[in-house]
Amino acid sequence: MPEHVWLLPLKNLDDDSRAIKLGEIADLEVSGEQRMFVGDPLRMTLVGLAEESRHPFAIDSNGVAVGVLTLQAGAAAAAGWADDGSAWLLRGFLIDRRQQGKGLGTLAAGSAVPAAANLTAALGGGQAGVVLSVNELNPAGQAAYRKAGFEDHGQYLGGGAGPQRTMYRAF
């Protein structure tokens, strides 16, 4: 298992660096069974760059993007959380299918929590942690989130791909 991954905040990169990372993100692959759980990596990232409340990150390992994730303010209820403002929503999270099984997802999910805490400090939000929803038919995802310190907070039936588990980790 690798020792670390880097979360590169795409909104903070200069234009050339961002273009390089977007090219790498465009090359990420999603397996057939994952398509029901996640969207197109480049499209999700571009939406994140365009919206003020979203903060997309490239997940880097050994200097290349191996995945993406987005932290969004004011949207925690979309994961079954009681309110929108007390937690960052972790969304659009995926690891390239060729890189799966190496522990990168667990490392990235764990790294998203201090990244969210830094965003809260920089932007002055009132968030105290990170919430996500993971499909009940995705046991590998649930296990990776648990290993990264997220706790199950129950079932959420609002997801478009069937029943979800709401998971949360405080800063």
Side-chain angles (χ1 to χ4, degrees), residues 106 134 138-150 167:
T106 297
V134 58
N138 185 358
Q142 292 175 49
Y145 292 127
R146 277 193 302 278
K147 193 170 181 181
F150 285 81
M167 301 184 81

Side-chain angles (χ1 to χ4, degrees), residues 10 55 69-70 120-121 137:
L10 293 170
H55 300 270
L69 65 82
T70 296
T120 296
L137 298 176

Side-chain angles (χ1 to χ4, degrees), residues 10 39 42 52 74 122:
L10 293 170
L42 182 59
E52 187 176 335

Side-chain angles (χ1 to χ4, degrees), residues 55-126:
H55 300 270
F57 292 81
I59 303 166
D60 261 35
S61 179
N62 296 319
V64 66
V66 295
V68 294
L69 65 82
T70 296
L71 292 167
Q72 184 173 5
W81 200 239
D83 67 275
D84 277 331
S86 66
W88 286 91
L89 174 63
L90 175 59
R91 67 183 310 155
F93 179 41
L94 68 89
I95 299 294
D96 183 278
R97 72 162 185 83
R98 299 162 292 189
Q99 300 296 325
Q100 292 176 4
K102 300 178 182 179
L104 299 170
T106 297
L107 289 170
S111 296
V113 177
N118 289 340
L119 283 169
T120 296
L123 302 174

